[in-house]
Amino acid sequence: ETGVTQTPRHLVMGMTNKKSLKCEQHLGHNAMYWYKQSAKKPLELMFVYSLEERVENNSVPSRFSPECPNSSHLFLHLHTLQPEDSALYLCASSQLTGLDTGELFFGEGSRLTVL
Amino acid sequence: GNSVTQMEGPVTLSEEAFLTINCTYTATGYPSLFWYVQYPGEGLQLLLKATKADDKGSNKGFEATYRKETTSFHLEKGSVQVSDSAVYFCALSDTGGGNKLTFGTGTQLKVEL
């Protein structure tokens, strides 16, 4: 496989469930990101990991818990979500070199529906 | 803080029509500017970028010029095709580095025969 792969592509969960979204990048990059895409709203940066260390947490509720066990894998653990958390969750990766190009490589997203 | 404002869509055009999608921004410092495109069922991918004032980014027939005086980065294409139907996102980079981008809401483009 190449690029950035996200699973599952679709997820429906109740407010009391616990589930996880998985992202895997095959590009050898050293940074990974979670973005939230909601209709008619800008993409929201949720978390950034650089060299497996979390470097950004944009006031995301604690019901979202990221995990980056190595430079190729990123998880988003979900628990006790609210219906307003329904959205497309996008994972991205990039290579940080100090002269950052701004080029992110995105996965296809995980469409989450919270009932 | 940084922000990006895009025209609301959807924009519907006939094939071979001229395209403009407006984008304006608010930022501190001198960010780089980007257009990303999201085809149906796919993730976002970089379309073009410009890193300083008066730079023109171009790719696949699309162009955008970094206008510092009007804080704009409008996307243009002279002749659109059905295959250009997608959602287009304008974005700017955080000058603190880390490839942290601030995106607009996206503008959906529909091109019809």
Side-chain angles (χ1 to χ4, degrees), chain A residues 9 33 35 37 42-43 56 90 94 96 100-104 106-108, chain B residues 34 36 38 41-44 46 49 89 97-101 103-105:
Chain A
R9 294 291 308 277
Y33 310 74
Y35 277 87
Q37 184 179 8
L43 268 71
E56 186 89 5
L90 294 168
S94 75
L96 299 182
D100 300 328
T101 63
E103 184 166 10
L104 302 180
F106 283 85
E108 296 170 331
Chain B
F34 308 86
Y36 275 76
Q38 185 179 32
E42 298 184 14
L44 281 72
L46 179 64
K49 69 178 184 181
F89 293 87
N99 279 345
K100 289 177 283 186
L101 302 184
F103 286 87
T105 54

Side-chain angles (χ1 to χ4, degrees), chain A residues 43-92:
Chain A
L43 268 71
E44 301 172 46
L45 178 61
M46 300 175 72
F47 302 105
V48 180
Y49 277 83
S50 174
L51 297 172
E52 300 145 47
E53 180 181 342
R54 190 190 311 179
V55 296
E56 186 89 5
N57 178 347
N58 278 348
S59 303
V60 178
S62 59
R63 56 185 184 270
F64 295 91
S65 175
E67 178 189 3
C68 188
N70 56 60
S71 61
S72 299
H73 293 85
L74 183 65
F75 295 89
L76 188 63
H77 303 301
L78 316 169
H79 62 98
T80 59
L81 294 191
Q82 304 298 310
E84 60 264 29
D85 297 323
S86 299
L88 183 68
Y89 289 86
L90 294 168
C91 174

Side-chain angles (χ1 to χ4, degrees), chain A residues 8 11-21 62-65 76-81 112 114:
Chain A
L11 177 63
V12 179
M13 58 187 290
M15 289 191 285
T16 58
N17 292 159
K18 290 185 179 181
K19 297 286 185 184
S20 296
L21 306 181
S62 59
R63 56 185 184 270
F64 295 91
S65 175
L76 188 63
H77 303 301
L78 316 169
H79 62 98
T80 59
L81 294 191
L112 173 66
V114 181

